[in-house]
Amino acid sequence: MSKKVQYELEYPVRCSPSILYEFLSTPAGLQEWFADKVDFRDNVFSFSWNGTMEEAEVLEQEEEEFIRLHWLHAPSEEFFEFRIQISEVTNETILVVKDFAEKKEIADQSQLWDYQVKDLFHRIGN
């Protein structure tokens, strides 16, 4: 199996960082767009899609800035992260998604994130 590499996607969003952060870091917010059902206990999110469950531990987070999660089944060096940045030029809010995938799968994984983030933007009225 080839080693996964980190990649990064950026999405401009018309939303305040505080509202966006709620959708990225709380069970209720994540359940709106990321998974069918989301629970949180002992620093671990449980995500459910069509009856399949995956768990991710919160590694780090900073209010209104970022949350970094680690899938419990993945190698320890891998994570996925939602980061909120403000463009110095346009002053617009930018959602940055960092994730890991095999090189040949980055395009497919990026499309999956595009789909998920489009749903998020729909939920926040973007």
Side-chain angles (χ1 to χ4, degrees), residues 5-6 8 15 18 24 28 32 35-36 47 53 81 96 103 108 114-115 120 124 126:
V5 295
Q6 183 180 327
E8 193 172 292
C15 177
S18 58
L24 304 174
E32 284 284 321
D36 298 335
F47 300 104
M53 195 177 83
E81 178 180 286
V96 178
K103 278 187 180 177
D108 288 344
D114 289 350
Y115 176 79
L120 165 63
I124 59 179
N126 191 43

Side-chain angles (χ1 to χ4, degrees), residues 4 34 40 42-47 49 54-61 66-82 98-100 113:
K4 292 184 177 182
F34 187 71
F40 185 74
D42 299 329
N43 210 40
V44 174
F45 280 103
S46 298
F47 300 104
W49 297 271
E54 297 280 348
E55 293 182 318
E57 175 185 17
V58 176
L59 297 177
E60 273 184 90
Q61 68 185 111
F66 78 96
I67 183 164
R68 179 178 291 177
L69 302 151
H70 166 72
W71 293 116
L72 295 183
H73 64 75
S76 61
E77 68 276 3
E78 293 178 13
F79 62 88
F80 67 104
E81 178 180 286
F82 301 122
K98 293 182 183 179
D99 200 0
F100 284 78
W113 278 117

Side-chain angles (χ1 to χ4, degrees), residues 7 14-15 18 27 34 91 93 98 100 112-113 118 123:
Y7 65 98
R14 288 184 300 271
C15 177
S18 58
F34 187 71
N91 203 34
T93 304
K98 293 182 183 179
F100 284 78
L112 184 59
W113 278 117
K118 185 177 175 185
R123 302 284 184 198

Side-chain angles (χ1 to χ4, degrees), residues 95-112:
L95 169 61
V96 178
V97 177
K98 293 182 183 179
D99 200 0
F100 284 78
E102 291 183 26
K103 278 187 180 177
K104 66 179 190 277
E105 294 178 352
I106 289 176
D108 288 344
Q109 291 297 317
S110 296
Q111 276 189 313
L112 184 59

